[in-house]
Amino acid sequence: MAGTIQIQFRVDFPSPGGNPFRLDVNTVLPGRGITAIFGRSGSGKTTLLRCFAGLQQADRARLVVGGETWQDEGLSLPTHKRPLGYVFQEASLFPHLSARGNLDYAIKRAGAECPGELIERVVSLMGIGPVLDRFPGQMSGGERQRVAIARALLIRPRLLLMDEPLASLDTARKQEILPYLERLRSEFDMPILYVSHSIDEVARLADHLLMLDGGRVAAQGDMPEMLSRLDLPLRLGEETGVVLEGRVLERNEQWHLARVGFAGGELWLRDGGDALDRQIRVRILARDVSLALEPQGETSILNRLPVEVAAIGPDSDEAMALVRLQCGARHIVARLTRRSVDHLQLVPGKKVWAQIKSVAIVK
């Protein structure tokens, strides 16, 4: 199928003294945007990425990218002939080369003349102009990783693999580099496979979400919808929540608030300085959603939405329950005590009011 990524990988890892592990993935992924590969440690995320790159030998393998077969029975392009870029947890730059020298290496590897405007575009996109003449030892961790991403882009890949690229960075450096990754998603029309164990990164960057559990696909689909599902084996506990995409409708300078409209209604939240009509993502944690049978008049909570109970499921804490709520064309999730669920007599189909104590722009 043109415009998609078809994969089938099976890898067996025998373990004489313990439980053997098998990666067994057979699915189709979108051929554009960022697909986040998410799962517990040891679920097979990095192994899957290594299969894409041809770095991991598989017992059974098929890889078709945009209609072009890279691997199948009797065919396996070696890693250096696969038109892909790979960004690791560590920047992995050549320490004896400056940033410019590392980029030149990528340009030579591409095997064809690289347009000057592409080089300028990538350097500008990743904001690395000021460090081009520095060596890796003279750069911060965030600068090194941005150079590594630029180097991967200058290979002119048809597929970009990113294996927890922020894992080795502290919080400040992560916040520094995330805007560059957002720009990468919007400005380069190529599929990106992004391995992460951070739900915050997934919420901010991903368009599509593939969840791995025990080497197999637990579920996959549109990222906002996936985060609202209650039937997945991966429990996020306090981090359970949804992402909604909306547009800035109003900015109130007096109260420093912004009104954001989405397919299920409108929300007020702290003004993040985004321009009117700009599309943004907002995240609502389930722990910040309470339910009421009637609209509450005198309350400090600004955001109250009419919703309908869609499903009720267990939480990782036995005292708690997760309630999936239909809100127009979207879903939100509330995390309540099981006692509250019983007290409110919540059942699928019941109409209630969601009171949202906190909403955050995903930045």
Side-chain angles (χ1 to χ4, degrees):
M1 292 178 284
T4 62
I5 302 172
Q6 302 170 56
I7 60 173
Q8 182 180 13
F9 295 118
R10 195 185 76 185
V11 183
D12 286 302
F13 294 92
S15 179
N19 297 321
F21 177 81
R22 169 179 285 182
L23 176 77
D24 193 356
V25 174
N26 186 354
T27 191
V28 177
L29 299 175
R32 63 183 305 170
I34 296 181
T35 294
I37 301 173
F38 182 79
R40 299 184 184 92
S41 178
S43 60
K45 303 185 298 296
T46 294
T47 300
L48 178 58
L49 230 57
R50 288 174 55 82
C51 287
F52 273 98
L55 296 171
Q56 174 65 57
Q57 185 174 356
D59 304 304
R60 183 181 301 163
R62 175 173 167 78
L63 174 59
V64 182
V65 180
E68 180 179 310
T69 300
W70 292 8
Q71 192 167 355
D72 204 348
E73 187 175 348
L75 169 69
S76 180
L77 293 180
T79 299
H80 69 277
K81 289 192 175 181
R82 299 188 184 200
L84 58 82
Y86 203 138
V87 180
F88 299 88
Q89 292 184 21
E90 298 290 343
S92 301
L93 300 176
F94 295 115
H96 63 288
L97 295 178
S98 66
R100 192 188 307 276
N102 273 275
L103 299 186
D104 288 341
Y105 172 85
I107 293 169
K108 291 176 183 177
R109 186 196 151 183
E113 186 176 350
C114 187
E117 57 267 26
L118 175 61
I119 300 173
E120 292 177 7
R121 181 185 175 198
V122 169
V123 168
S124 174
L125 174 73
M126 301 312 299
I128 57 173
V131 303
L132 286 178
D133 294 320
R134 297 182 195 169
F135 288 83
Q138 300 170 316
M139 292 184 271
S140 70
E143 289 169 340
R144 286 194 296 270
Q145 198 63 297
R146 283 188 278 139
V147 172
I149 295 169
R151 184 177 65 174
L153 292 174
L154 288 175
I155 296 171
R156 283 179 284 174
R158 293 187 54 201
L159 175 65
L160 182 60
L161 309 177
M162 307 188 82
D163 187 3
E164 301 200 59
L166 308 185
S168 64
L169 304 178
D170 59 29
T171 300
R173 299 290 81 75
K174 287 180 182 180
Q175 294 306 312
E176 167 199 315
I177 202 171
L178 276 167
Y180 294 99
L181 297 181
E182 288 178 318
R183 291 171 62 190
L184 173 62
R185 177 187 63 195
S186 62
E187 295 189 27
F188 273 79
D189 187 20
M190 80 173 83
I192 301 171
L193 303 184
Y194 189 97
V195 165
S196 179
H197 66 274
S198 167
I199 198 63
D200 288 333
E201 292 174 30
V202 170
R204 182 162 178 174
L205 298 173
D207 305 294
H208 190 84
L209 181 57
L210 174 75
M211 284 190 170
L212 286 183
D213 188 37
R216 289 175 167 77
V217 177
Q220 70 164 310
D222 176 68
M223 184 275 295
E225 189 65 14
M226 284 279 289
L227 292 184
S228 75
R229 287 177 54 176
L230 307 184
D231 59 341
L232 302 179
L234 299 175
R235 301 294 181 194
L236 300 177
E238 291 291 320
E239 294 302 307
T240 300
V242 301
V243 171
L244 302 175
E245 295 185 336
R247 291 190 179 277
V248 179
L249 303 178
E250 177 186 349
R251 296 178 63 192
N252 186 298
E253 294 184 4
Q254 179 182 2
W255 306 115
H256 304 286
L257 296 173
R259 181 166 57 92
V260 175
F262 68 102
E266 296 179 355
L267 295 165
W268 283 97
L269 60 155
R270 179 187 293 178
D271 186 359
D274 297 289
L276 291 178
D277 203 41
R278 179 177 176 181
Q279 185 166 327
I280 62 172
R281 290 183 175 188
V282 299
R283 190 169 180 214
I284 303 173
L285 294 177
R287 66 179 187 230
D288 290 330
V289 180
S290 64
L291 300 182
L293 299 180
E294 301 290 340
Q296 305 295 309
E298 298 300 323
T299 174
S300 63
I301 297 176
L302 290 177
N303 296 306
R304 300 186 296 277
L305 298 169
V307 296
E308 181 178 306
V309 176
I312 302 172
D315 182 67
S316 52
D317 183 338
E318 292 185 354
M320 309 297 288
L322 298 175
V323 183
R324 192 181 198 224
L325 304 160
Q326 185 79 44
C327 184
R330 294 290 180 262
H331 290 95
I332 58 177
V333 175
R335 189 169 187 249
L336 310 177
T337 64
R338 295 173 64 87
R339 179 184 179 186
S340 293
V341 171
D342 181 71
H343 176 72
L344 296 175
Q345 298 182 336
L346 299 179
V347 293
K350 187 163 187 171
K351 297 185 185 303
V352 294
W353 285 81
Q355 303 177 127
I356 303 171
K357 291 173 280 187
S358 179
V359 185
I361 298 175
V362 181
K363 282 189 176 180

